């Protein structure tokens, strides 16, 4: 263990930025490097006591009034440098809104000796002309060798106590690994993007549902959050008192998704988003899984003439017929189909959600599609077009989704229900064939 | 949002069955009771049994749970009276546009604009577009959203004094309901001169536009302030409105109640465990509420001459804030429970004309400087009598005679041409009972909780802290929460909140008839005392100052002072 003096020597001289802040724009006010957790802690203490943290005012250095603000700890586990940079940029956009102590951890050279390189920064933002700057710290850590595998040991000493801990894990979180379990044991919220997971992503989805079951950990999945515009559009159909009775009489849920794989082979495309649609609907309607998702065999079904087309590009049916499952509300069964269509859209993107409901001999068919800026809803009652609506609902960016995840302070029962139902659809043994 | 309306459908009957279990015997009716004997609760309950079948709960759209709105407004027509006026163009229509733009209005929504001037739909839409380009809080306008919103705007010329015009209106509404599937749900918004409220309401009643239908088709009326000119006129207006609409159909709007921070006041008080125990006479020394405006009367001389600060702000905004600060926790967050508690506060405030010279101060501004600009005095403003006795400033010391607040003064003040625009509620706590640090440096001020309503909405708590060092100096420091920097969400305008509430039938943030009357019963004696007393020595404060010296004396008499804002 190095002495404090030695640690100070090891740390590089901090750099400070004395330019006056621009209203609403984050500015880097402090930057230093350190090579041990103790050095980093020392640097963090120095930031707020530093006489150097001053700004130029008419050629004169004056002590700058800045308020250190932290509403939470945000731990980002980014396995690749470019991912770490992207996350840091997103977080910086939230400095004024959600100032946090952010710890970005990336690992390097896992087979080499253990080492640690830390960059400590303070970003400040001036929320209004008559208010002091609001500042928050970001600690960029790169850990080599064995050290990089002990995430909890790296993050825990740097956490501000009594503040909630959010772990943002872009990429592929190894949810079964001891390292992840240790880190998440103290966390309040896990933020992931299930739509970026490799393969079909469903096994990891199931693991995530297991992870949160009965625990205080709350999960925010960008893949599910992005679908809120779909959910609003689908829900709007049943705001109509004439259509509401059909809601409890669903017979079929079909979700069409984009694939780049002509064969439509299972596992070739991420299915998290399409399965979330079914999970959300089924959980809201209190349906139970009778038969989990399994691969549909046989020749590909042609899409209904004149109904499957997407402005995003050309589409044609994939060779595979996708997945099927059966749900039930105890009275009637609901067929579920998750089917691929070859499309120019990013693989795994939902292209269409179709609902079929039958009630007292009457049929209601709902068809929802989405573009970058709008969602389109059409409804046919007994074969007659009853509704044709466009909602203006732009696709949301990562900063908005992260802000939403942070702002949702509580456990959201709708998300939990959708996740658990999605996991139940996947089944304990994964998607069967 | 673009919608193609479906062809008119045959209505399906309500599927909900009457689900009284078949095997459950209907209890025998109790024996008839002699007429002169009073009924007990048990009698009432027994008499109901067997008569009233239990109703199936209406089905709800479970897919709405967790979305922005758990219930969307019903398809409806908003009938805007005074659609060519300033309020409609600056506030009401921009609010509707934003609700539409963010998909918070039903698809089957229409705005039927009513005014005296001659327009066709297209000309009126063009005028609205120009107004939105000036007053919309999000610019530039979203072309798609505007186009689809504009399709829903219709104009009807109507002279409010012409009964025939209302017959035409009834017919037009029937046609629009039929064509657009708005299900005969009408929200009448009266953004006209107050003098026309009663006449419009009476005509709506005459042509049957107030009638609600059993199977849907609600009718509501939104009435803008000022609601009456004094207690008598408020009662008269309530009576006139009550002849046509039930109280549950009436939404009296005070836009202050739709402001985010005002609504947050309820959450702050009743959603946090640590403040409410300290919210009473035992800990609070006094309360100060300031509604300060830096602007003058903005070309509204004729209007302001008839109202003054007491009618314009004290009777509504200020007393609403007082009642929200002082009310007891309601049993539920339901409109009537909330308003019951607010009314109790107003009833506990008593001012007699004899109290007025001691407890109320009025003022009128003379020329001065505000925000580095020279401004004229009130009497030099257009449409103002050069010898006007109208007050542009009022400060009062109110006592709430109830268990919680007995002996705690509420100092309120409002005025035009004050140094800055600011609305704030300050809860000044008592000094600590024993001054432990009195010999050590500066004694800290007593704790203070300030709730800023505008601008820069937020909450500030002041407390003492030790100054770092070897000594034991104590200094006051503040913990400051600013709404804008803590939440990403774009706060809706108060009108957006209130119009959406009215469309959803939630009257929590609207003022009830008895609230209005109670508020007038506080303000009436003040005005009466001024009218019958000596002429005021106006003007008595310079524009750009915090009111007349008497306002300072009002609070300094009690050994306190106004907060420096």
């Amino acid at each position: 263990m190095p002495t404090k003096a030695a640690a100070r020597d090891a740390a590089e001289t901090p750099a400070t930025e004395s330019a006056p802040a621009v209203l609403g724009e984050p500015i880097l006010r402090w930057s230093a490097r350190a090579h041990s957790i103790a050095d980093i802690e020392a640097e963090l203490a120095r930031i707020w006591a530093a006489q150097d943290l001053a700004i130029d005012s008419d050629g004169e250095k004056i002590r700058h009034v800045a308020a250190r603000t932290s509403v939470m700890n945000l731990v980002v586990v980014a396995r690749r440098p470019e991912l770490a940079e992207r996350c840091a940029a997103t977080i910086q956009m939230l400095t004024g809104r959600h100032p946090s102590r952010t710890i970005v951890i990336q690992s390097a050279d896992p087979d080499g000796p253990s080492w640690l390189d830390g960059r400590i920064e303070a970003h400040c933002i001036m929320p209004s002309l008559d208010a002091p700057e609001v500042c928050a710290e970001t600690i960029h850590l790169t850990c080599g060798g064995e050290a990089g595998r002990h995430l909890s040991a790296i993050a825990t000493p740097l956490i501000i106590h009594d503040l909630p801990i959010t772990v943002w894990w872009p990429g592929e979180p190894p949810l079964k690994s001891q390292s992840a379990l240790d880190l998440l044991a103290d966390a309040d919220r896990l933020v992931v993007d299930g739509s970026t997971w490799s393969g079909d992503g469903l096994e990891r989805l199931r693991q995530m549902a297991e992870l949160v079951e009965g625990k205080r950990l709350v999960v925010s999945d960008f893949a599910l959050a992005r679908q809120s515009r779909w959910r609003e559009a689908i829900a709007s159909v049943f705001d109509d008192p004439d259509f509401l009775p059909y809601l409890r009489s669903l017979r079929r849920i079909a979700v069409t998704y984009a694939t780049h794989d002509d064969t439509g082979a299972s596992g070739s495309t991420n299915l998290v988003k399409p399965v979330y649609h079914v999970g959300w609907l089924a959980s809201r309607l209190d349906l139970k899984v009778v038969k989990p998702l399994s691969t549909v065999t046989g020749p590909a079904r042609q899409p209904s003439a004149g109904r499957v087309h997407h402005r995003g590009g050309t589409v044609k049916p994939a060779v595979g017929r996708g997945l099927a499952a059966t749900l039930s509300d105890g009275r009637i069964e609901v067929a579920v189909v998750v089917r691929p269509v070859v499309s120019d859209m990013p693989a795994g993107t939902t292209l269409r959600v179709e609902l079929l409901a039958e009630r007292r001999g009457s049929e209601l068919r709902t068809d929802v599609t989405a573009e970058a800026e709008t969602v389109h809803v059409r409804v046919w009652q007994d074969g007659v077009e009853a509704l044709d609506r466009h909602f203006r609902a732009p696709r949301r960016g990562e900063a908005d989704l992260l802000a939403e995840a942070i702002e949702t302070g509580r456990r959201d029962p709708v998300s939990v229900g959708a996740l658990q139902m999605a996991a139940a659809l996947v089944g304990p043994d994964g998607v069967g064939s | 949002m673009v919608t193609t309306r479906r062809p008119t459908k045959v209505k399906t009957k309500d599927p909900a069955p009457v689900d009284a279990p078949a095997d459950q015997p209907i209890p025998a009716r109790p024996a008839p009771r002699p007429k002169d004997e009073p009924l007990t609760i048990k009698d009432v309950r027994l008499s109901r049994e067997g008569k009233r079948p239990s109703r199936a709960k209406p089905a709800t759209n479970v897919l709405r749970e967790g979305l922005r709105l758990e219930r969307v407004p019903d398809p409806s027509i908003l009938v805007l009276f005074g659609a060519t006026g300033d309020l409609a163009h600056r506030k009401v229509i921009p609010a509707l546009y934003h609700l539409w733009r963010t998909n918070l209005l039903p698809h089957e929504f229409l705005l039927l604009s009513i005014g005296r001037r001659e327009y066709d739909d297209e000309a009126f839409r063009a005028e609205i577009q120009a107004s939105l380009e000036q007053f919309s809080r999000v610019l530039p306008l979203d072309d798609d959203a505007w186009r689809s919103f504009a399709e829903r705007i219709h104009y009807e010329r109507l002279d409010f004094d012409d009964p025939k015009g209302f017959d035409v209106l009834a017919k037009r509404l029937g046609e629009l309901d039929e064509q657009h599937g708005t299900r005969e749900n009408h929200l009448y918004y009266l953004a006209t001169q107050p003098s026309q409220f009663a006449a419009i309401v009476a005509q709506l009643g005459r042509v049957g536009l107030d009638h609600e239908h059993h199977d849907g088709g609600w009718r509501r009326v939104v009435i803008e302030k000022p609601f009456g000119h004094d207690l008598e006129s408020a009662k008269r207006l309530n009576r006139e409105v009550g002849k046509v609409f039930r109280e549950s159909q009436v939404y009296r709007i005070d836009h202050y109640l739709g402001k985010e921070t005002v609504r947050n006041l309820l959450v702050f008080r009743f959603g946090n465990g640590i403040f409410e125990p300290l919210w009473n006479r035992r800990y609070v020394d006094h309360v100060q509420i300031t509604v300060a405006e830096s602007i003058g009367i903005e070309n509204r001389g004729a209007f302001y001459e008839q109202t003054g600060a007491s009618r314009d702000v004290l009777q509504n905004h200020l007393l609403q804030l007082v009642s929200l600060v002082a009310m007891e926790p309601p049993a539920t967050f339901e409109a009537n429970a909330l308003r019951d508690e607010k009314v109790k506060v107003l009833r506990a405030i008593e001012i007699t004309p004899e109290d007025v010279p001691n407890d109320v101060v009025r003022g009128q501004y003379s020329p001065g400087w505000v925000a580095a600009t020279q401004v004229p005095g009130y009497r030099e403003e257009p449409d103002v009598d050069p010898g006007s006795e109208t007050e542009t400033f009022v400060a009062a010391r109110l006592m709430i005679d109830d268990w919680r607040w007995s002996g705690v003064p509420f100092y309120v003040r409002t005025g035009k041409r004050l140094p800055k625009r600011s609305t704030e509620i300050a809860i000044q706590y008592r000094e600590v009972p024993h001054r432990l640090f009195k010999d050590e440096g500066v004694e800290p001020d007593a704790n203070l909780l300030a709730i800023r309503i505008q601008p820069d909405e937020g909450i500030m708590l002041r407390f003492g802290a030790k100054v770092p060092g070897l000594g034991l100096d104590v200094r006051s420091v503040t913990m400051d929460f600013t709404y804008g920097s803590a939440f990403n969400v774009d706060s809706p305008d108060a009108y957006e909140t209130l119009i959406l509430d009215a469309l959803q039938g939630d009257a929590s943030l609207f003022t009830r008839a008895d609230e209005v009357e109670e508020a007038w019963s506080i303000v009436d004696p003040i005005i009466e005392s001024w009218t019958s007393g000596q002429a005021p020595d106006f003007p008595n404060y310079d524009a750009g100052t915090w009111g007349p010296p008497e306002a300072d004396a009002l609070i300094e008499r009690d050994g306190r002072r106004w907060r420096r804002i």
Side-chain angles (χ1 to χ4, degrees), chain A residues 8-318:
Chain A
R8 173 61 51 80
D9 290 344
E12 289 166 25
T13 311
T16 56
E17 173 59 64
S18 60
V22 177
L23 188 66
E25 299 233 339
I27 185 167
L28 180 68
R29 282 267 177 244
W30 175 281
S31 176
R33 284 198 105 90
H35 304 293
S36 72
I37 295 291
D39 282 357
I40 294 167
E41 286 177 304
E43 286 302 327
L44 286 169
R46 282 177 66 196
I47 291 179
W48 307 108
Q51 292 301 314
D52 299 343
L53 195 64
I55 58 168
D56 283 326
S57 175
D58 295 332
E60 189 186 346
K61 283 251 180 193
I62 56 164
R63 177 82 175 101
H64 178 54
V65 181
R68 174 194 144 184
T69 318
S70 291
V71 295
M72 66 167 187
N73 297 286
L74 179 58
V75 180
V76 184
V77 186
R79 292 294 186 189
R80 299 190 310 274
E82 67 276 13
L83 210 53
E85 289 306 316
R86 203 188 77 208
C87 293
T90 303
I91 291 161
Q92 231 184 71
M93 290 164 73
L94 303 180
T95 302
R97 303 198 310 230
H98 303 285
S100 315
R101 173 171 286 185
T102 305
I103 305 163
V104 184
I105 307 173
Q106 53 174 307
S107 43
D109 188 17
D111 300 322
S114 285
W115 55 271
L116 184 143
D117 177 49
R119 194 171 82 240
I120 304 103
E121 293 174 347
H123 288 96
C124 299
I125 192 163
M126 191 161 57
S128 64
L129 286 171
D130 55 352
E133 284 184 13
V134 172
C135 303
E137 311 117 326
T138 307
I139 306 156
H140 299 265
L141 294 170
T142 310
C143 311
E146 178 76 15
R149 288 198 281 276
H150 297 278
L151 297 170
S152 179
I154 300 164
T156 305
L158 301 174
I159 292 295
I160 301 176
H161 63 84
D162 279 342
L163 287 184
I165 301 171
T166 294
V167 175
W168 181 15
W169 206 312
E172 312 257 351
L175 297 172
K176 288 281 189 187
S177 73
Q178 194 54 48
S179 174
L181 293 174
D182 288 346
L183 181 65
L184 295 174
D186 289 330
D188 299 279
R189 180 177 292 273
L190 170 64
V191 180
V192 296
D193 186 352
S195 64
T196 61
W197 295 342
S198 56
D200 60 17
L202 298 181
E203 178 52 22
R204 191 167 267 118
L205 192 73
R206 202 176 56 75
Q207 289 173 5
M208 194 161 72
E210 273 176 20
L211 188 71
V212 297
E213 197 159 358
K215 296 201 181 76
R216 65 172 187 157
L217 182 70
V218 176
V219 166
S220 297
D221 189 342
F222 289 171
L224 182 62
R226 271 195 202 99
Q227 292 178 343
S228 60
R229 61 188 192 138
W230 288 81
R231 291 195 286 274
E232 295 236 8
I234 294 168
S236 75
V237 172
F238 299 98
D239 289 332
D240 188 321
D242 287 347
F243 301 154
L244 182 58
Y246 289 92
L247 187 56
R248 295 288 185 182
S249 306
L250 279 191
R251 293 287 191 276
R252 188 162 178 271
I253 302 169
V255 182
T256 308
Y257 65 92
T259 183
H260 298 166
D261 177 16
D262 279 344
T263 66
S266 89
S268 63
T269 304
N270 182 295
L271 296 182
V272 169
K273 285 202 276 192
V275 171
Y276 265 144
H277 281 298
V278 183
W280 168 66
L281 276 164
S283 62
R284 287 301 90 216
L285 296 172
D286 215 11
L287 302 176
K288 302 282 178 284
V289 177
V290 175
K291 189 166 157 273
L293 287 167
S294 60
T295 308
V296 179
T297 51
R301 179 176 169 274
Q302 287 295 327
S304 316
R307 288 202 292 119
V308 177
H309 48 79
H310 196 272
R311 258 185 249 169
T314 54
V315 296
K316 58 177 185 174

Side-chain angles (χ1 to χ4, degrees), chain A residues 233-235 237-238 243 246 250 252 254 307 352-357 363-369 376-381 387:
Chain A
I234 294 168
V237 172
F238 299 98
F243 301 154
Y246 289 92
L250 279 191
R252 188 162 178 271
R307 288 202 292 119
R352 157 167 287 129
V353 176
E354 294 163 278
L355 307 177
L356 176 71
E363 180 192 275
L364 188 83
R365 196 151 56 78
T366 302
D367 183 302
V368 183
T369 54
H376 186 189
V377 182
R378 287 195 292 172
V379 175
W380 293 264
Q381 194 173 24
L387 200 70

Side-chain angles (χ1 to χ4, degrees), chain A residues 239-240 359 386 390 392 407, chain B residues 2 6 15 64-65 142 488:
Chain A
D239 289 332
D240 188 321
R359 186 175 177 277
H390 282 93
R392 193 188 165 279
E407 276 165 8
Chain B
V2 180
R6 60 177 173 263
R64 280 264 158 220
E65 198 184 332
D142 177 328
N488 171 28

Side-chain angles (χ1 to χ4, degrees), chain B residues 64-137:
Chain B
R64 280 264 158 220
E65 198 184 332
L67 300 181
R68 286 178 307 163
L69 282 185
E70 300 223 334
R71 197 167 63 82
V72 289
D74 299 322
S76 48
I77 303 179
L78 192 148
V79 186
L80 179 59
F81 291 90
T84 55
D86 202 44
L87 177 69
H89 281 246
R90 279 174 183 266
K91 292 290 181 187
V92 180
I93 295 174
L96 287 168
Y97 164 72
H98 282 289
L99 291 172
W100 178 260
R101 192 182 66 91
T102 48
N103 301 326
L104 293 173
L105 288 181
H107 290 83
E108 293 80 15
F109 174 80
L110 289 184
L111 170 62
L112 181 58
S113 315
I114 311 285
R116 290 171 191 268
R117 294 180 214 162
E118 201 69 62
Y119 283 102
D120 59 22
D121 286 353
E122 280 312 313
F124 187 70
R125 286 168 189 163
E127 192 166 298
I128 292 296
Q129 186 176 13
S131 293
L132 285 175
E133 276 159 4
Q134 197 180 348
F135 301 120
S136 170
R137 66 183 175 85

